[in-house]
Amino acid sequence: MLRCLAAFVALFAALLSPAQAEDGFRGSECLAMAQAPPRAIPVSLRRTAAAEQVLITYRGHSTYTIETPGGVMVATDYNGAYDTGRVPDIVTMNRAHSTHYTLAPDPKIAHVLHGWGDDGQPAHVRLRVGDVMIRNVTTDIRRYMFDDGNAGMIKDGNSIFIFEVAGLCIGHLGHLHTTLDDSHFAAIGRIDILMVPIDGSYTMSLDGISQITKRLRASVVLPMHRFMTPLDEFMRRIGGSFAIDQRGDSALRISRDALPGAPTVIILRGV
């Protein structure tokens, strides 16, 4: 029996792609949860949910930091301009304009993850660092006046990054310019906390982003990338489906068992 089990494990390991073996990717619990029957929660999530908290802090524009129970810090849409308290261990970036990336990140950052492909292919992120797993789903973006090439869309120039930590599925839509189809939603899977651009023009219209937000059905929505957009305009469009919780603090400490019972937009200080 033990020999059969060992043979099965060896066969399974051999079937893993080189990229998965290299970065420690062991599969997405958030995708598994999205495909499971309602209320089916993996045992591993039940064990960690009550004890482990994630600290999410708004740093500016579309940059949030996510600090895991294990001490890993991730910064989203990192451009080096916002104070993150310490050097992040991981940064994600998107190709939109210079407020969403830097080509000269702090050399002490261990993992710099581009949301666009550097070799002409779509970015493919499957990375596990400590107690966080990061993956991406690519979308197209518009060109800006100083981009090389003709006007039009840049294929796979943006990534929706998904961070899986302490039983939570945290999504960052990046510089989203296009609606999402069924294949995008399937690839994203379950989202508990969603970071959403609400500028209404540079990314998507408020109606468009509201529809995407509603379909992803996150328990917590964290607005970002606001510019001068009145918060009440976004809340008016989405408020029928979400409660509104405006905070006086720029940080949110949350665990899986502390997710609100009803979908809620939490507006942190500075947004």
Side-chain angles (χ1 to χ4, degrees), residues 54-67 76 170 172 193-196 198 220-226 229 231 234-235 243-254 264-271:
V54 175
L55 179 63
I56 299 173
T57 306
Y58 181 67
R59 301 293 183 174
H61 202 48
S62 57
T63 300
Y64 279 92
T65 54
I66 302 167
E67 297 178 66
T76 64
I170 304 170
H172 185 283
I193 300 172
L194 182 66
M195 300 163 181
V196 178
I198 62 166
V220 171
V221 172
L222 298 175
M224 61 178 186
H225 205 269
R226 184 167 77 93
T229 310
L231 284 170
F234 173 69
M235 291 186 287
I244 306 298
D245 180 0
Q246 193 152 4
R247 303 284 181 95
D249 195 350
S250 61
L252 170 69
R253 193 176 294 276
I254 194 164
T264 302
V265 177
I266 298 179
I267 303 164
L268 297 179
R269 180 168 54 82
V271 171

Side-chain angles (χ1 to χ4, degrees), residues 70-126:
V72 178
M73 177 188 276
V74 181
T76 64
D77 271 13
Y78 177 86
N79 64 12
Y82 302 110
D83 181 14
T84 56
R86 68 173 177 88
V87 176
D89 302 291
I90 308 163
V91 298
T92 64
M93 302 179 185
N94 273 303
R95 179 179 176 178
H97 40 78
S98 59
T99 55
H100 295 262
Y101 72 93
T102 174
L103 298 180
D106 190 315
K108 294 191 289 293
I109 299 171
H111 303 278
V112 177
L113 307 179
H114 289 174
W116 66 92
D118 295 307
D119 55 2
Q121 299 298 313
H124 182 73
V125 176
R126 296 292 186 273

Side-chain angles (χ1 to χ4, degrees), residues 23-268:
D23 64 25
F25 179 71
R26 297 194 296 272
S28 166
E29 288 180 326
C30 297
L31 286 175
M33 290 165 65
Q35 296 161 2
R39 299 185 178 275
I41 301 174
V43 173
S44 61
L45 300 190
R46 292 199 296 268
R47 284 199 299 263
T48 63
E52 297 184 335
Q53 292 185 323
V54 175
L55 179 63
I56 299 173
T57 306
Y58 181 67
R59 301 293 183 174
H61 202 48
S62 57
T63 300
Y64 279 92
T65 54
I66 302 167
E67 297 178 66
T68 77
V72 178
M73 177 188 276
V74 181
T76 64
D77 271 13
Y78 177 86
N79 64 12
Y82 302 110
D83 181 14
T84 56
R86 68 173 177 88
V87 176
D89 302 291
I90 308 163
V91 298
T92 64
M93 302 179 185
N94 273 303
R95 179 179 176 178
H97 40 78
S98 59
T99 55
H100 295 262
Y101 72 93
T102 174
L103 298 180
D106 190 315
K108 294 191 289 293
I109 299 171
H111 303 278
V112 177
L113 307 179
H114 289 174
W116 66 92
D118 295 307
D119 55 2
Q121 299 298 313
H124 182 73
V125 176
R126 296 292 186 273
L127 178 69
R128 188 182 293 275
V129 177
D131 57 344
V132 63
M133 192 185 79
I134 305 172
R135 57 189 175 88
N136 75 314
V137 177
T138 59
T139 65
D140 298 346
I141 63 169
R142 296 185 299 273
R143 293 184 184 274
Y144 284 82
M145 65 176 71
F146 299 114
D147 279 337
D148 294 332
N150 298 322
M153 302 295 284
I154 302 173
K155 185 169 177 55
D156 299 312
N158 177 72
S159 278
I160 298 168
F161 283 99
I162 299 103
F163 311 93
E164 305 191 17
V165 55
L168 291 168
C169 309
I170 304 170
H172 185 283
L173 292 180
H175 209 269
L176 188 64
H177 290 173
T178 62
T179 57
L180 304 181
D181 60 28
D182 289 345
S183 66
H184 290 116
F185 287 109
I188 292 167
R190 177 192 176 103
I191 294 292
D192 298 307
I193 300 172
L194 182 66
M195 300 163 181
V196 178
I198 62 166
D199 60 277
S201 57
Y202 292 100
T203 54
M204 290 188 67
S205 69
L206 288 179
D207 285 333
I209 204 69
S210 296
Q211 290 302 315
I212 288 171
T213 302
K214 290 174 184 176
R215 179 162 175 184
L216 283 170
R217 296 184 296 178
S219 295
V220 171
V221 172
L222 298 175
M224 61 178 186
H225 205 269
R226 184 167 77 93
F227 295 104
M228 300 301 291
T229 310
L231 284 170
D232 58 357
E233 185 68 12
F234 173 69
M235 291 186 287
R236 183 178 66 79
R237 283 175 164 80
I238 205 169
S241 304
F242 289 78
I244 306 298
D245 180 0
Q246 193 152 4
R247 303 284 181 95
D249 195 350
S250 61
L252 170 69
R253 193 176 294 276
I254 194 164
S255 62
R256 179 166 174 77
D257 67 335
L259 290 171
T264 302
V265 177
I266 298 179
I267 303 164
L268 297 179

